[in-house]
Amino acid sequence: PCVLIPLPGSRDDHQLANARVFEKAGAARVVFQKDNDPSGLESLLKQLLQNRADLERMSAASRELAVLDAAGRIVTEMEKSRS
């Protein structure tokens, strides 16, 4: 489980787009930098840490998004491009 704070103004807003994928899958909470303050972040983290069931659901969702052979796939694509 994670809390993602996408960088505003990133090229093509890719950080927000990536964060939304995790949020939609139930693996993350997205907090906008403009809305972020220490007390709000503390409150969100406490809420998450006090709800074991939510953490377990978020963990399961994170595992579903994992690409376990990502490094191998990258190497394969790089080798293809060298040929």
Side-chain angles (χ1 to χ4, degrees):
C2 56
V3 174
L4 300 172
I5 305 170
L7 179 68
S10 62
R11 185 177 198 131
D12 298 325
D13 221 9
H14 73 278
Q15 288 198 1
L16 177 58
N18 292 338
R20 291 289 192 212
V21 170
F22 283 80
E23 180 182 54
K24 185 176 179 182
R29 301 281 175 90
V30 175
V31 176
F32 290 99
Q33 198 172 61
K34 67 179 179 63
D35 300 330
N36 186 26
D37 64 69
S39 63
L41 187 57
E42 178 183 20
S43 175
L44 175 59
L45 293 174
K46 282 182 179 179
Q47 174 190 0
L48 287 171
L49 291 172
Q50 292 173 356
N51 192 331
R52 189 75 184 158
D54 278 352
L55 287 177
E56 288 175 9
R57 279 191 292 278
M58 291 174 77
S59 292
S62 293
R63 283 190 295 278
E64 290 294 317
L65 292 173
V67 180
L68 301 178
D69 64 339
R73 289 182 185 191
I74 291 169
V75 169
T76 299
E77 291 302 314
M78 290 174 66
E79 288 173 342
K80 283 182 190 176
S81 69
R82 291 174 68 185
S83 306

